Amino acid sequence: MTYKIFNAIYLNKNTQKYATPCYLYDQQLLIDTILLAQNSCNKYFKDYNTKIHYAIKANNNLQLLSKIKQHNFGIDCVSGGEIKLALQAGFSGQDIVFAGVGKLDAEINLALEQNIYAFNCESEQEVEVINQLAQKAQKIARIMLRVNPDIDAMTHKNISTGKFDNKFGLSFSAIVKFLPQLRQLKNINLIGLHYHIGSQITNMQVFTNLSTIVVEHFKQLQQQGVTISDINLGGGLGIDYLNPQVNPIADFAAYFKALKASLDLPQTVNLHFELGRAIVAQCGILLSEVLFIKHTEGNNFAIINAGMNDLMRPALYGANHAMLVLNARQDYEKYHVVGPVCESTDVFACNLDLPKLGRGDKIAILSCGAYGHVLASTYNSRTICQEYII
Ligand SMILES: *Cc1c(COP(=O)(O)O)cnc(C)c1O
């Protein structure tokens, strides 16, 4: 099946009414992705109580959120603003898990008020502050401790989170050391451990390695007299940025299978997953238009009207996105595709073979549904572009 979002003829005909640059989301692709994620999870973990929490920071569009909510996802938030948006989209407190190394008092109070499922705590001091605020609010806060397992996610260093030099989580030995103090905190209920080691992970062995460590930690806690009811394995499943049309849906089966391979836990343990990118990345494109073509010594520039303020991933992580040119020209030329922003990193592609371009030609930058619009800024006093569902 070819999705609308990858169909140049469809897009050319049906998107004339949208001013560029703009983000377009393919609802059918989102729904197919959601269903496959749920089915794969249920298939590999059929004996467990499971919940996939969508990581809202990947894309916080309310229409997409309500579709995700309709399909029984929970939600993973990293700020009070995200908690408010999740509630607005119809999620309940019990659907919410809340991570982040720097939770504000006001955010903690909001989460307590909403009786969220769990705080994913990242430092000893954070747990103490949550205890104090919970005491004031006369609540018991359910928490999971975020473990930094010091494993290599084998992804870009800027999106690795599970090594000791990353700011995230606590080492397992620090957690064990913290247990006696934790027992004194009357308004804290430790329900589990949380892990999230990075993003755009494409080597499935990484997830099997993670599960092995999780089981070890579970057993070591048991030996300390602490039996936890929940394990949160985080997210990080990568997508195919090179060939989105060939692989429009992430390989959820491989992901859950890899986690299951070494996850030898009692079936009474509730399992949580937090997928962001893999749910929404492929269903979104950034539609833009060629402003000018410029030939300089040895270089061909196609200057488009979308910039790094609209899509920051290439400038931020050196990310590559495939592109679809909507004209139907047969002869090709190599272009540096660049934006209008006054920064040398405002570049979307170097020496990319594309159908010969002219002013006004439309270019769709693919795989922009995750970490696209949410990272947009008004840099250069540009406007934040619109989003549409097709
Ligand atoms: C960002 C984030 C995720 C989602 O990561 P993806 O790579 O988009 O799947 C999951 N959990 C936590 C705690 C996060 O911060």
Side-chain angles (χ1 to χ4, degrees):
M1 155 157 195
T2 313
Y3 291 98
K4 287 175 180 168
I5 213 89
F6 302 130
N7 183 336
I9 297 166
Y10 172 88
L11 290 175
N12 209 16
K13 224 188 346 200
N14 294 283
T15 62
Q16 300 293 344
K17 55 185 181 282
Y18 303 131
T20 61
C22 64
Y23 278 87
L24 302 176
Y25 302 117
D26 187 320
Q27 179 164 308
Q28 190 59 49
L29 178 49
L30 175 69
I31 290 171
D32 289 355
T33 305
I34 287 171
L35 292 176
L36 196 67
Q38 295 283 26
N39 288 343
S40 303
C41 181
N42 292 339
K43 177 175 167 200
Y44 288 99
F45 290 101
K46 63 175 183 299
D47 301 322
Y48 289 84
N49 185 13
T50 57
K51 188 103 180 169
I52 306 176
H53 300 266
Y54 167 65
I56 184 174
K57 76 172 184 290
N59 188 320
N60 62 13
N61 179 284
L62 273 174
Q63 278 174 278
L64 300 188
L65 287 178
S66 66
K67 282 279 164 268
I68 292 167
K69 162 68 194 150
Q70 281 165 21
H71 289 82
N72 280 326
F73 277 65
I75 191 128
D76 165 40
C77 299
V78 294
S79 74
E82 288 190 348
I83 292 175
K84 286 180 191 162
L85 264 181
L87 295 169
Q88 207 182 321
F91 290 91
S92 72
Q94 279 299 296
D95 296 326
I96 298 174
V97 290
F98 180 22
V101 296
K103 298 178 184 75
L104 310 177
D105 289 15
E107 294 175 321
I108 294 169
N109 284 330
L110 170 66
L112 287 168
E113 230 171 74
Q114 295 296 330
N115 288 315
I116 64 163
Y117 187 84
F119 291 85
N120 290 329
C121 298
E122 312 219 13
S123 66
E124 297 91 340
Q125 197 171 20
E126 178 195 330
V127 178
E128 284 160 12
V129 168
I130 292 174
N131 181 61
Q132 286 163 11
L133 295 174
Q135 198 171 6
K136 270 193 208 143
Q138 297 183 312
K139 303 242 177 182
I140 306 287
R142 278 175 303 276
I143 69 158
M144 300 197 213
L145 291 170
R146 179 165 180 176
V147 186
N148 182 326
D150 196 33
I151 62 176
D152 189 351
M154 301 202 230
T155 182
H156 192 284
K157 74 170 174 40
N158 292 8
I159 50 176
S160 285
T161 55
K163 293 284 287 175
F164 281 161
D165 55 1
N166 298 126
K167 67 181 175 181
F168 300 99
L170 288 162
S171 70
F172 186 72
S173 60
I175 287 173
V176 170
K177 240 204 272 168
F178 183 53
L179 288 176
Q181 253 171 292
L182 191 60
R183 288 198 180 92
Q184 306 302 313
L185 304 176
K186 296 287 177 269
N187 294 70
I188 294 290
N189 176 13
L190 173 68
I191 63 166
L193 296 177
H194 170 233
Y195 302 78
H196 174 67
I197 56 172
S199 198
Q200 184 54 19
I201 297 168
T202 52
N203 181 335
M204 295 300 119
Q205 185 62 41
V206 167
F207 293 114
T208 305
N209 297 348
L210 173 63
S211 285
T212 305
I213 292 173
V214 169
V215 172
E216 257 170 52
H217 291 166
F218 182 86
K219 288 183 176 155
Q220 285 180 41
L221 278 190
Q222 262 184 332
Q223 285 163 10
Q224 301 283 328
V226 178
T227 302
I228 52 174
S229 56
D230 291 65
I231 289 283
N232 185 331
L233 293 155
L237 174 61
I239 60 133
D240 190 347
Y241 280 101
L242 291 177
N243 298 297
Q245 288 125 310
V246 180
N247 295 306
I249 301 184
D251 197 348
F252 294 106
Y255 167 71
F256 288 110
K257 189 176 176 203
L259 283 172
K260 181 70 176 27
S262 57
L263 201 69
D264 182 18
L265 291 174
Q267 287 167 12
T268 47
V269 175
N270 304 313
L271 299 177
H272 304 263
F273 309 91
E274 299 171 331
L275 294 168
R277 187 191 308 271
I279 303 295
V280 290
Q282 296 294 30
C283 79
I285 62 172
L286 175 58
L287 190 65
S288 69
E289 213 167 302
V290 175
L291 293 171
F292 308 112
I293 301 293
K294 176 161 87 170
H295 309 283
T296 63
E297 282 67 24
N299 291 292
N300 251 354
F301 292 97
I303 302 159
I304 63 175
N305 64 357
M308 64 186 277
N309 73 300
D310 303 303
L311 176 67
M312 190 147 70
R313 298 190 66 257
L316 195 59
Y317 317 120
N320 279 305
H321 287 256
M323 294 183 190
L324 183 65
V325 173
L326 304 194
N327 75 30
R329 281 190 210 110
Q330 299 301 315
D331 47 334
Y332 276 65
E333 203 159 2
K334 279 193 165 36
Y335 294 96
H336 302 317
V337 180
V338 303
V341 173
C342 295
E343 290 288 340
S344 293
T345 53
D346 188 22
V347 175
F348 294 112
C350 286
N351 278 320
L352 186 65
D353 240 337
L354 292 174
K356 209 162 184 232
L357 294 170
R359 177 171 168 81
D361 282 350
K362 295 228 169 100
I363 299 185
I365 304 177
L366 306 181
S367 316
C368 290
Y371 307 108
H373 191 268
V374 283
L375 275 162
S377 78
T378 57
Y379 185 43
N380 281 200
S381 300
R382 286 166 55 86
T383 45
I384 303 274
C385 65
Q386 295 292 314
E387 301 171 281
Y388 304 99
I389 314 273
I390 58 171

